[in-house]
């Protein structure tokens, strides 16, 4: 059975989608069969993996709202073993359309249930909000990765996310765990970055991944070419960081 992991932080610009794309690709590169579910209406994870989001017949929206069989919407990527369930701006409306659905918080779980045995990892790229789609993603997941930018105010808002996780554990998904806090955009030359890293470590201890994602220009360039960093520039520091993260994560299971 595949492990379902949400990548979530309602604070934007923390490297969440970058992590979703590149961790998925790096897990696939080490032989894992991976599905990336793009649960963000901006669809950046889809386009960042080379999916033409303007010409999609089916997306995660149709699977959630119209109960379209999920395998009909899944797309193969350039990376062997890596597949994506793409998103679309229509997903914005799904929050409202799900309001009257029975067991609405479990729609994502029902959607992925038929394919859970087809993959080693199912990663869900959540939108930068704590709305119903994100609640659905966390309710469907075994665990959550929380990217934390190594800048001041990094911990701002994390208490809201942790409270949401606590609520979901108490009422919707008692097995939900924090997979780990991931330090992103790290620049060891900056005192502030080192201070934030130390503060996150102090607060969350062993829940912080050993792997750190360093600030890397090539990482920010790769999505515009529709490629993960492992294809765009496999020798870059960003590619090496995500390879390390994939090995750290897969080594747990």
């Amino acid at each position: 059975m595949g492990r379902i992991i949400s990548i979530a932080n309602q604070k934007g610009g923390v490297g969440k989608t970058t992590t979703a794309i590149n961790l998925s690709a790096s897990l696939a590169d080490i032989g894992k069969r991976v599905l990336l579910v793009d649960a963000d209406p901006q669809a950046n994870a889809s386009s960042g993996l080379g999916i033409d989001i303007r010409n999609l017949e089916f997306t995660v929206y149709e699977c959630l709202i119209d109960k379209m069989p999920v395998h009909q919407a899944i797309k193969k990527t350039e990376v062997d073993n890596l597949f994506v369930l793409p998103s679309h701006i229509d997903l914005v409306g799904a929050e409202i359309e799900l309001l009257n659905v029975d067991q609405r918080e479990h729609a994502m779980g029902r959607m992925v249930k038929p394919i859970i045995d087809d993959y080693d990892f199912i990663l869900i790229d959540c939108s930068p909000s704590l709305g119903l789609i994100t609640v659905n993603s966390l309710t469907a997941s075994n665990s959550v990765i929380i990217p934390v930018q190594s800048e001041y105010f990094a911990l701002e808002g994390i208490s809201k996310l942790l409270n949401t996780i606590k609520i979901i554990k108490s009422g919707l998904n008692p097995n939900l765990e924090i997979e780990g806090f991931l330090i992103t955009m790290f620049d060891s030359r900056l005192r502030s970055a080192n201070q934030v890293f130390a503060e996150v470590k102090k607060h969350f201890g062993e829940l912080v991944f050993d792997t750190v994602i360093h600030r890397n220009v090539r990482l920010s360039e790769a999505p515009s070419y529709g490629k993960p960093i492992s294809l765009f520039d496999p020798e870059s520091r960003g590619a090496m960081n995500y390879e390390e993260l994939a090995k750290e994560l897969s080594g747990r299971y």
Side-chain angles (χ1 to χ4, degrees):
M1 182 179 289
R3 185 166 185 85
I4 304 175
I5 303 175
S6 282
I7 301 173
N9 190 331
Q10 79 276 17
K11 193 176 189 314
V14 298
K16 178 181 58 60
T17 297
T18 298
T19 293
I21 291 170
N22 293 299
L23 176 56
S24 297
S26 296
L27 284 167
D29 286 338
I30 61 173
K32 303 299 181 183
R33 190 170 169 87
V34 183
L35 173 67
L36 175 56
V37 176
D38 190 349
D40 186 345
Q42 296 176 85
N44 290 337
S46 304
S47 59
L49 284 171
I51 304 298
D52 183 356
I53 59 174
R54 297 163 301 178
N55 294 306
L56 290 170
E57 189 176 2
F58 305 122
T59 68
V60 67
Y61 172 85
E62 283 78 21
C63 298
L64 278 174
I65 303 302
D66 300 333
K67 297 184 173 58
M68 175 70 59
V70 69
H71 61 84
Q72 289 187 233
I74 290 172
K75 300 289 183 185
K76 195 168 183 342
T77 71
E78 271 191 82
V79 180
D80 287 342
N81 295 319
L82 176 57
F83 302 82
V84 62
L85 176 56
S87 187
H88 190 271
I89 191 64
D90 287 351
L91 193 60
V92 169
E95 300 260 340
I96 297 167
E97 293 178 68
L98 281 171
L99 286 176
N100 296 319
V101 173
D102 189 42
Q103 295 276 296
R104 62 192 180 197
E105 297 89 355
H106 295 276
M108 183 82 73
R110 292 192 295 267
M111 182 189 78
V112 299
K113 188 176 180 180
I115 56 161
I116 196 167
D117 291 330
D118 297 342
Y119 301 95
D120 297 306
F121 289 95
I122 297 174
L123 301 188
I124 305 176
D125 183 30
C126 298
S127 65
S129 76
L130 293 178
L132 187 53
I133 299 297
T134 298
V135 168
N136 255 271
S137 301
L138 294 170
T139 301
S141 296
N142 301 111
S143 59
V144 54
I145 291 173
I146 304 170
V148 180
Q149 187 178 4
S150 56
E151 292 186 0
Y152 281 123
F153 308 118
L155 299 180
E156 190 180 85
I158 283 185
S159 60
K160 289 181 183 176
L161 177 58
L162 295 179
N163 191 50
T164 299
I165 291 169
K166 184 178 177 182
I167 291 167
I168 288 170
K169 277 179 69 75
S170 65
L172 295 167
N173 180 7
N175 298 317
L176 181 65
E177 301 170 0
I178 294 175
E179 190 68 54
F181 292 85
L182 175 68
I183 300 296
T184 62
M185 304 180 197
F186 183 71
D187 187 340
S188 59
R189 299 168 299 179
L190 300 178
R191 179 185 296 178
S192 59
N194 287 289
Q195 287 173 338
V196 169
F197 186 29
E199 191 177 352
V200 174
K201 269 287 196 185
K202 178 183 168 186
H203 272 81
F204 302 111
E206 291 183 0
L207 284 176
V208 182
F209 280 102
D210 292 332
T211 305
V212 171
I213 308 301
H214 291 80
R215 190 174 288 281
N216 181 253
V217 174
R218 302 298 274 169
L219 267 178
S220 58
E221 292 174 341
S224 63
Y225 292 85
K227 295 178 185 294
I229 192 65
S230 57
L231 287 182
F232 181 65
D233 190 350
E235 302 302 315
S236 68
R237 190 171 199 178
M240 290 186 278
N241 286 166
Y242 277 107
E243 182 183 349
E244 289 167 20
L245 179 62
K247 288 176 179 174
E248 182 177 351
L249 179 62
S250 65
R252 299 176 178 181
Y253 305 107

